[in-house]
């Protein structure tokens, strides 16, 4: 009976680890997608491509929405909120005709990626 109990405990531990691992993989995948969208946003700004900018910003926001729906970790959610706020700031700057500073956005994406990897 002891061996069976131990086997059940090991299986339960691996089941939990598998679930946590899958969440980490999903989080990291979405963080990379957000990062890719932010890169596209930067390229669109450099190319002065308003349609590409809007598409990239929308894609990043959709990825953030999906990430927030799938992840319950508060650090990840806070980092995702920071990215969303930074995207909003970039949109506002573009709407006002300014060349936005992307460094806060890039820092927020780095924070998100780190939070997912933790």
């Amino acid at each position: 009976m002891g061996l069976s109990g131990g086997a059940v405990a090991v299986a339960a531990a691996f089941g939990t680890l598998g679930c946590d691992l899958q969440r980490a993989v999903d989080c990291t995948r979405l963080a990379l997608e957000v990062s890719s969208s932010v890169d596209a946003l930067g390229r669109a700004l450099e190319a002065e491509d308003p349609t590409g900018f809007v598409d990239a910003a929308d894609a990043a926001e959709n990825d953030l929405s999906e990430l927030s729906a799938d992840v319950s970790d508060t650090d990840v959610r806070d980092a995702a909120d920071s990215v969303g706020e930074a995207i909003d700031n970039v949109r506002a700057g573009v709407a006002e005709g300014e060349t936005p500073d992307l460094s806060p956005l890039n820092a927020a994406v780095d924070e998100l990626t780190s939070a997912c990897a933790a």
Side-chain angles (χ1 to χ4, degrees):
M1 184 86 156
L3 183 58
S4 296
V8 169
V10 169
F14 279 121
T16 302
L17 177 62
C19 185
D20 290 343
L21 181 60
Q22 186 60 47
R23 282 189 191 134
V25 168
D26 290 345
C27 182
T28 302
R29 177 188 56 81
L30 288 168
L32 290 172
E33 288 177 13
V34 169
S35 179
S36 177
S37 296
V38 167
D39 288 344
L41 188 147
R43 287 190 304 276
L45 285 173
E46 288 175 8
E48 298 180 10
D49 175 8
T51 302
F53 168 77
V54 170
D55 291 345
D58 289 347
E61 288 175 338
N62 287 335
D63 292 338
L64 286 171
S65 178
E66 184 180 343
L67 177 65
S68 295
D70 291 344
V71 177
S72 61
D73 184 276
T74 55
D75 291 336
V76 173
R77 284 184 177 269
D78 289 346
D81 288 345
S82 293
V83 173
E85 289 171 14
I87 291 171
D88 289 344
N89 290 337
V90 171
R91 279 188 194 261
V94 168
E96 293 173 8
E98 301 171 0
T99 301
D101 178 13
L102 295 181
S103 58
L105 177 56
N106 290 326
V109 170
D110 289 345
E111 179 185 339
L112 176 61
T113 303
S114 295
C116 283

